[in-house]
């Protein structure tokens, strides 16, 4: 185990070198990395929006709106086809997903069906598989009418097309802003995620994304009175539209569209030579220029309306034919407003108007503060762990510290190679990895100490210590890895970043602890030829402790049962302080432009907006204030309307540093996903432990872990800490950590069950607890050191997240000793049972080996 061939040594340090090269780009600016030779790695970690500022939006396309549009389109096509062939009809209407039309002459029914059959021609719904989709089914009815039914497959096909078109249009609009590396991607069957890092004007981003930007040119009806149309019913073929002025001006316009924005070739901004006001210039393509020229030639002297999203931008009079295919739109624009409209027209119109169901905005200044806080917390936590390890193990502690530093380098390299996004919870994952990575080295060093105390030589103690620690290291880290993987697949946003960081940290921890540390220890023994094991400067747990843990179980069991029942009762009777992730609503963090924020003034001003319950509290410095606004209950758009009111009320006196808006649709989904994530993690780990150990160990581990989860939830209820998405991440991390601790204890129990066949189970469990007590104490302390540093120096945003993990580490350590182990007595696990099972397996293997092969010839 301690011999390394030259090629293995080269491979180990080559891995370290490659990791260092991929991690280095994170230390210097991007301008430097861009000028490096192409052979060198230049990709750095991407900072999340919570670290560099920016906008995260989740948009939803309304399927019902699509159905209504398709229904109107099919109805117009039916009208056009029947009129072109002079087939008389009546009762053309649409409802639900069905268009109904009655053919006047019974003899024309077959001709009408044949004519309308072109609407039911299949289209290619999937270009990869070539699957055909029929959008419309046509069926005659007994009364002589025809039904044209929009199929569900056809609607699904149109929905996918609308999503794809929306993504491309939004990408075109965002690219015009000049932002770096925006993320625009589909999610599910009706959602789109938009992330714009570094955006300093979130309202402009939302306006560009949320505007449908459907441009049409329609004639103004000058023969009929617009007032009569408003008071009664507009004449056939006309509608009343209003201008963008304040107050709006009504216009009676023809519904027939002369030209649409689909025929635009380009749009830009210039200034009117007469008024020097900004205007939007446009140029049609060939088809559009021809249509526009013909329309203006036929209507000289009449006004026409330029309509954007059913609002009249302007209504100029046609003084002469416009044959050049270009023109301009004036409408009292600001320079930015004209530029925004030009961007919208160049990118094209959205097929459907999106609804903002989730918004998370972080200002650049807050992002910079978060980075500084995270870096400082990481440095403090890392130094505390390094000093503690040196004090506990001396020279071996220095070896562990070097492995830990390389571990962090490899972790950063892994994140860089994957192009992962580093978020605030991701920094928490790194700091947590710093604490947990020490666990493997502590396991190894404590094993080596035990073997040395048992009378073995130093080389034998080191060799056997590494061998016996390997199984425990693998089992303990796999349980945490399972939780991280489930968190990644079932989580969202920053929580997935936390899961990625934790998962990569587990892999690098196993490599550095078992491979790199083993190589360095082997090198030390081979070159220094020591005679004794290095001692540390402090010893938290004396050698050969004989604490009667099982005697204490009657008290700890009773106390744990009371605590669990109390937590469940409190959870059922007292409402948790749910964050907006789970109950919807808005959260706004503002910073006063004055030296001290006036929370009472904010509360008074916002209470006049009639937005329901509003909580205003200080947050961090005297200038910072956190505002929570209850869910408006009027659908997803209501949350955006409430946020706009708050912005307009406060933006003159306060800087908006962070915004989170979660509509009722997303909040329900997040609550369901969080519950499923916890249950799925417990189920997957139950199966793993059952396969690796025995059913008693699996049930004991799950009960002990459930005990920790329930008490953590009780802690949230009692303390009133906000329970949000980060809290789910904290609970799943507690699941992984608690199981890690429990598996280490159970692994020693399993080993002793094979070794001491005659010992009573309580005595065997006491022995196992005392043997693992140094490791349990040291691991818990190192993890707590990292977490405490993160709690005090990591910033206000992470405090509730880290507080839950601190509580989880403490309660997880308690449960692995006083809950998980005594449960084995309750489940009547027998000493020697594993040894008997091993003998049976060995006997079966021997019998199989001695059986003569079957002669098939």
């Amino acid at each position: 185990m301690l011999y390394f061939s030259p090629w293995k040594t080269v491979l180990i340090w080559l891995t370290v070198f490659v990791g260092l090269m991929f991690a280095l780009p994170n230390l210097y600016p991007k301008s430097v990395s861009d000028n490096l030779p192409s052979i060198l790695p230049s990709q750095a970690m991407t900072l999340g929006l919570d670290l560099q500022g920016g906008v995260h939006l989740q948009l939803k396309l309304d399927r019902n709106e699509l159905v209504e549009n398709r229904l109107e389109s099919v109805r117009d096509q039916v009208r056009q086809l029947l009129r072109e062939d002079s087939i008389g009809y009546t009762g053309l209407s649409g409802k639900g997903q069905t268009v109904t039309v009655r053919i006047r002459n019974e003899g024309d029914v077959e001709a009408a069906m044949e004519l309308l059959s072109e609407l039911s021609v299949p289209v290619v719904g999937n270009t990869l598989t070539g699957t055909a989709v029929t959008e419309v089914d046509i069926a005659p009815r007994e009364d002589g009418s025809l039904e044209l039914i929009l199929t569900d497959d056809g609607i699904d096909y149109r929905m996918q097309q609308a999503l794809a078109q929306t993504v491309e249009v939004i990408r075109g609009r965002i690219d015009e802003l000049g932002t770096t590396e925006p993320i625009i991607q589909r999610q599910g069957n009706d959602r789109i995620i938009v992330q714009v890092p570094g955006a300093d004007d979130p309202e402009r981003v939302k306006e560009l994304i949320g505007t449908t930007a459907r441009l049409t040119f329609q004639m103004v009806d000058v023969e009929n009175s617009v007032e009569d149309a408003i008071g009664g019913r507009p004449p056939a073929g006309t509608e009343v539209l209003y201008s963008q002025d304040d107050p709006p001006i009504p216009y009676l316009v023809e519904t027939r569209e002369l030209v649409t924005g689909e025929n635009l070739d380009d749009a830009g901004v210039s200034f009117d030579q007469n008024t020097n006001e900004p205007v939007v210039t446009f140029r049609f393509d060939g088809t559009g220029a021809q249509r526009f020229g013909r329309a203006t030639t036929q209507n000289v002297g009449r006004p026409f309306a330029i309509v954007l999203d059913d609002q009249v931008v302007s209504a100029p009079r046609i003084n002469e034919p416009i044959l050049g295919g270009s023109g301009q739109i004036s409408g009292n624009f600001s320079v930015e407003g004209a530029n925004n409209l030009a961007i919208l027209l160049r990118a094209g119109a959205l097929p459907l108007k999106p609804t903002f169901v989730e918004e998370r905005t972080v200002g650049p200044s807050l992002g910079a503060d978060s980075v500084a806080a995270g870096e400082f917390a990481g440095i403090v936590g890392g130094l505390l762990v390094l000093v503690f390890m040196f004090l506990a193990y001396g020279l071996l502690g220095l070896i562990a510290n070097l492995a830990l530093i390389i571990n962090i380098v490899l972790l950063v390299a892994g994140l860089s190679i994957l192009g992962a996004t580093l978020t605030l919870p991701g920094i928490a994952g790194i700091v947590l990895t710093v604490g947990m990575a020490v666990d493997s080295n502590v396991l190894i060093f404590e094993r080596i100490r035990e073997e040395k105390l048992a009378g073995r030589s130093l080389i034998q103690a080191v060799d056997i210590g590494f061998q016996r620690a390997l199984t425990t290291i693998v089992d303990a880290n796999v349980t945490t890895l399972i939780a991280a993987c489930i968190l990644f697949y079932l989580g969202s946003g920053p929580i997935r970043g936390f899961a990625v960081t934790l998962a990569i940290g587990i892999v690098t921890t196993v490599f550095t602890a078992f491979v790199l540390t083993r190589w360095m220890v082997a090198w030390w023994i081979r070159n220094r030829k020591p005679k004794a094991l290095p001692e540390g400067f402090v010893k938290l747990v004396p050698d050969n402790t004989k604490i009667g843990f099982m005697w204490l179980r009657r008290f700890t069991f009773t106390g744990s049962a009371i605590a669990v029942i109390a937590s469940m009762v409190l959870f059922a009777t007292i409402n948790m302080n749910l964050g907006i992730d789970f109950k919807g609503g808005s959260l706004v963090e503002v910073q006063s432009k004055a030296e001290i924020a006036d929370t009472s003034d904010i509360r008074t001003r916002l209470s006049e907006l009639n937005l329901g319950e509003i909580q205003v509290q200080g947050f961090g410095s005297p200038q910072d204030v956190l505002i929570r606004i209850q869910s408006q209950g009027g659908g997803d758009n209501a949350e955006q309307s409430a946020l706009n009111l708050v912005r307009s009320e406060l933006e003159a006196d306060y800087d908006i540093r962070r915004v989170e808006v979660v509509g009722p649709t997303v909040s329900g989904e997040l609550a369901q996903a969080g519950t499923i994530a916890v249950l799925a993690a417990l189920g997957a780990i139950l199966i793993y432990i059952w396969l690796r150990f025995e059913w008693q160990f699996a049930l004991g581990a799950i009960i002990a872990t459930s005990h920790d989860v329930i008490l953590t939830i009780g802690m949230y209820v009692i303390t009133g800490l906000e329970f949000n998405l980060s809290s789910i991440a904290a609970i799943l991390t507690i699941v992984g950590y608690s199981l890690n601790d429990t598996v280490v204890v159970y692994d020693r129990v399993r080993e002793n069950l094979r070794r001491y066949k005659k010992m009573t189970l309580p005595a065997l469990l006491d022995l196992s607890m005392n043997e693992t007590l140094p490791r349990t104490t040291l691991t818990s302390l190192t993890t707590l050191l990292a977490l405490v540093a993160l709690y005090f120096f990591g910033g206000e945003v992470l405090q509730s997240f880290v507080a839950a993990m601190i509580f989880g580490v403490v309660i997880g350590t308690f449960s692995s000793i006083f809950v998980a182990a005594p449960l084995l007595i309750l489940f009547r696990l027998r000493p020697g049972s594993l040894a008997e099972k091993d003998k049976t397996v060995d006997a079966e293997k021997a019998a199989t080996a001695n059986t003569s092969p079957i002669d098939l010839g």
Side-chain angles (χ1 to χ4, degrees):
M1 287 290 286
L2 295 180
Y3 171 74
F4 288 84
S5 61
W7 70 267
K8 283 185 179 180
T9 299
V10 171
L11 191 60
I12 291 170
W13 288 102
L14 180 62
T15 301
V16 175
F17 175 75
V18 171
L20 180 62
M21 295 303 296
F22 276 98
L24 279 178
N26 295 279
L27 298 180
Y28 39 74
K30 192 175 187 301
S31 57
V32 175
S33 61
D34 290 341
N35 295 324
L36 292 175
S38 58
I39 193 173
L40 295 177
S42 59
Q43 183 175 357
M45 288 184 297
T46 303
L47 294 181
L49 300 184
D50 51 0
L51 295 180
Q52 64 170 317
V55 180
H56 167 98
L57 300 169
Q58 184 176 161
L59 290 71
K60 180 181 179 181
L61 301 187
D62 188 355
R63 184 184 179 92
N64 293 330
E65 181 187 353
L66 177 69
V67 172
E68 290 177 4
N69 292 347
R70 285 291 297 144
L71 204 66
E72 182 178 350
S73 175
V74 171
R75 191 168 56 240
D76 290 343
Q77 288 177 287
V78 170
R79 180 185 297 111
Q80 180 181 354
L81 290 171
L82 294 179
R83 284 180 176 178
E84 288 178 354
D85 272 38
S86 302
I87 296 178
Y89 66 90
T90 185
L92 178 59
S93 61
K95 184 178 181 181
Q97 291 184 206
T98 303
V99 173
T100 305
V101 61
R102 181 181 177 83
I103 308 300
R104 288 176 178 163
N105 188 345
E106 188 175 343
D108 291 336
V109 172
E110 290 188 8
M113 285 191 63
E114 184 177 353
L115 187 65
L116 299 178
S117 63
E118 69 176 69
L119 300 179
S120 61
V121 175
V123 296
V124 178
N126 189 322
T127 56
L128 297 178
T129 63
T131 305
V133 173
T134 300
E135 294 191 77
V136 179
D137 288 334
I138 304 177
R141 297 200 305 190
E142 294 181 357
D143 60 358
S145 62
L146 301 178
E147 281 188 346
L148 293 88
I149 304 170
L150 304 180
T151 65
D152 290 336
D153 289 343
I155 298 299
D156 291 340
Y157 163 69
R158 290 283 177 168
M159 196 70 181
Q160 296 307 308
Q161 281 197 324
L163 277 170
Q165 182 181 347
T166 302
V167 167
E168 293 307 314
V169 171
I170 291 176
R171 180 172 285 111
R173 295 178 181 182
I174 296 299
D175 287 344
E176 293 274 1
L177 293 175
T179 58
T180 58
E181 299 180 357
I183 298 174
I184 304 155
Q185 60 188 23
R186 291 167 51 176
Q187 183 177 37
N189 296 322
D190 60 354
R191 307 289 178 84
I192 296 173
I193 297 294
V194 180
Q195 294 183 351
V196 188
D200 55 1
D201 189 353
E203 285 305 300
R204 186 185 182 196
V205 173
K206 287 171 58 180
E207 183 180 354
L208 286 176
I209 291 175
T211 303
T212 309
R214 188 173 191 276
L215 184 72
T216 59
F217 295 81
Q218 300 166 237
M219 296 306 302
V220 176
D221 187 343
V222 293
E223 297 180 357
N224 298 288
S225 169
V226 65
E227 287 78 12
D228 293 342
I230 295 174
R233 183 177 181 181
T238 65
E239 61 182 338
V240 177
L241 298 179
Y242 292 86
S243 71
Q244 297 177 335
D245 300 303
D246 188 17
I249 301 172
Y251 290 88
L252 185 63
V253 300
E254 298 178 2
T255 56
R256 180 171 59 95
E257 298 172 352
L258 304 176
V259 194
T260 68
E262 296 176 0
N263 299 117
L264 281 180
D265 192 39
D266 192 19
V269 179
S270 64
F271 291 88
D272 190 290
Q273 295 180 354
N274 297 323
T275 64
N276 203 34
E277 292 181 348
V279 295
V280 177
T281 60
F282 61 86
R283 184 175 70 252
F284 288 114
D285 58 18
T287 303
Q290 185 179 5
R291 292 178 179 174
F292 194 61
R294 183 168 59 248
T296 54
T297 300
Q298 296 172 352
N299 294 280
V300 172
R302 291 184 59 189
F304 74 97
I306 302 174
V307 182
L308 179 69
D309 290 342
D310 295 329
Q311 284 188 305
V312 178
V313 178
S314 61
R317 184 175 299 276
I318 304 173
N319 296 321
E320 58 184 13
I322 304 174
L323 304 177
S326 62
Q328 70 180 35
I329 303 172
S330 58
N332 297 322
F333 295 119
S334 64
V335 174
E336 182 177 332
N339 188 46
N340 287 347
L341 179 55
I343 291 173
L344 294 172
L345 297 181
R346 283 197 299 270
L350 295 175
L352 299 171
K353 185 173 181 59
T355 299
F356 294 100
V357 295
E358 182 183 14
E359 175 188 351
R360 300 181 191 272
T361 302
V362 176
S365 61
L366 180 59
D369 293 345
S370 299
V371 172
E375 289 178 348
F376 186 71
I379 292 173
V380 172
L383 288 176
L384 288 175
V385 172
L386 295 178
V387 171
F388 181 78
M389 285 298 293
F390 174 69
L391 293 176
Y393 290 105
L395 179 61
L396 290 180
L398 289 178
I399 293 176
N401 288 340
L402 179 58
L404 178 60
I405 294 171
I406 294 174
N407 183 12
I408 299 302
V409 170
L410 294 179
L411 172 57
V412 173
L415 292 172
S416 302
I417 293 171
L418 293 177
T421 300
L422 182 64
T423 61
L424 273 176
I427 291 180
I430 292 178
V431 178
L432 182 61
T433 299
V434 170
M436 292 184 63
V438 178
D439 178 53
S440 297
N441 281 316
V442 171
L443 277 169
I444 293 168
F445 295 161
E446 289 302 317
R447 274 290 192 176
I448 293 174
R449 276 182 173 177
E450 289 178 17
E451 299 301 327
K452 191 71 176 68
L453 289 174
R456 300 184 187 276
S457 66
L458 179 60
I459 295 178
Q460 290 176 326
V462 171
D463 192 24
I464 296 174
F466 273 102
Q467 290 184 43
R468 293 187 173 176
L470 176 61
T471 302
T472 307
I473 290 173
V474 171
D475 285 334
N477 283 280
V478 166
T479 54
T480 308
L481 185 61
I482 289 173
C485 290
I486 291 176
L487 188 61
F488 177 81
Y489 284 107
L490 298 181
S492 62
I495 295 182
R496 299 187 74 178
F498 172 79
V500 169
T501 305
L502 186 60
I504 296 175
I506 290 170
V507 175
T508 57
T509 294
V510 173
F511 169 77
T512 54
F514 191 74
V515 178
L516 188 62
T517 302
R518 186 160 55 94
W519 186 94
M520 288 189 287
V521 171
W523 182 90
W524 167 65
I525 291 177
R526 185 172 59 253
N527 288 273
R528 298 297 180 183
K529 297 180 173 54
K531 300 299 182 182
L533 192 66
E535 293 293 333
F537 300 95
V538 296
K539 181 171 287 189
L540 298 177
V541 179
D543 295 330
N544 299 319
T545 56
K546 295 182 179 180
I547 301 174
F549 293 105
M550 295 307 103
W551 179 83
L552 293 171
R553 75 179 187 276
R554 64 197 69 184
F555 305 107
T556 56
F557 254 28
T558 303
S560 293
I562 293 173
V564 167
I565 294 172
S567 297
M568 295 173 68
V569 170
L570 289 172
F571 176 74
T573 57
I574 300 177
N575 293 328
M576 292 181 69
N577 181 19
L578 294 177
I580 64 170
D581 294 322
F582 298 127
K583 66 179 182 181
S586 304
L587 181 147
V588 184
E589 182 182 340
V590 299
Q591 187 174 69
S592 174
K593 295 179 181 179
E595 293 184 359
I596 299 177
D598 188 346
T599 56
S600 61
D601 176 62
I602 294 175
R603 193 176 293 108
T604 301
R605 291 165 64 178
L606 296 185
S607 63
E608 297 174 356
L609 300 178
N610 297 321
L611 299 178
E613 181 184 353
I614 295 178
Q615 299 177 7
V616 181
Q617 65 184 67
F619 186 76
S621 73
Q623 289 182 290
D624 298 329
V625 177
L626 200 63
I627 304 167
R628 290 184 175 87
I629 307 165
Q630 74 171 50
S631 179
Q632 299 302 296
D636 294 306
N637 286 324
E639 309 299 338
Q640 292 293 328
S641 300
L643 176 62
N644 291 336
L645 289 174
V646 173
R647 281 184 184 276
S648 60
E649 180 66 33
L650 298 180
E651 61 186 358
D653 303 315
Y654 295 87
D655 293 324
I656 309 296
R657 287 166 60 87
R658 177 165 62 107
V659 172
E660 295 184 14
V661 180
V662 180
T665 302
V666 173
S667 62
E669 294 170 352
L670 292 177
Q672 181 180 5
T675 304
I676 292 175
V678 174
L679 295 178
L682 291 174
I685 294 168
L686 170 67
I687 294 172
Y688 176 80
I689 297 179
W690 198 314
L691 294 175
R692 288 289 294 140
F693 292 78
E694 292 289 319
W695 68 265
Q696 293 98 330
F697 292 99
L699 287 181
I702 292 302
I703 292 174
T705 305
S706 300
H707 162 274
D708 300 342
V709 170
I710 292 172
L711 290 188
T712 303
I713 292 175
M715 181 271 295
Y716 272 103
V717 175
I718 294 172
T719 61
L721 287 175
E722 182 179 291
F723 192 84
N724 49 32
L725 275 180
S726 296
S727 304
I728 294 291
I731 286 179
L732 280 175
T733 306
I734 291 167
V735 168
Y737 181 87
S738 176
L739 281 164
N740 184 305
D741 213 7
T742 301
V743 166
V744 170
V745 172
Y746 275 0
D747 190 79
R748 181 57 64 95
V749 173
R750 181 175 59 175
E751 179 182 333
N752 286 335
L753 283 171
R754 291 188 171 102
R755 181 183 300 176
Y756 304 106
K757 303 179 180 60
K758 304 297 183 180
M759 187 180 292
T760 63
L761 186 57
L764 187 142
L765 292 175
D766 273 340
L767 175 64
S768 302
M769 298 304 103
N770 282 283
E771 287 177 342
T772 56
L773 188 60
R775 171 264 160 199
T776 301
T777 305
L778 287 169
T779 299
S780 298
L781 280 177
T782 51
T783 307
L784 286 173
L785 285 173
L787 290 174
V788 167
L790 192 62
Y791 180 83
F792 286 106
F793 305 111
E796 296 277 347
V797 177
L798 281 179
Q799 280 194 344
S800 63
F801 173 75
V802 177
M805 290 205 295
I806 291 174
F807 179 83
V809 168
V810 174
I811 205 68
T813 304
F814 169 86
S815 67
S816 64
I817 297 174
F818 293 105
V819 177
L823 282 172
L824 298 178
I825 300 176
L826 185 64
F827 295 152
R828 301 183 182 280
L829 182 66
R830 294 184 300 108
S833 59
L834 294 182
E836 294 171 6
K837 182 177 178 181
D838 292 341
K839 290 180 180 179
T840 303
V841 172
D842 293 341
E844 290 177 353
K845 289 181 178 180
T848 303
N850 295 329
T851 302
S852 300
I854 298 174
D855 186 2
L856 298 177

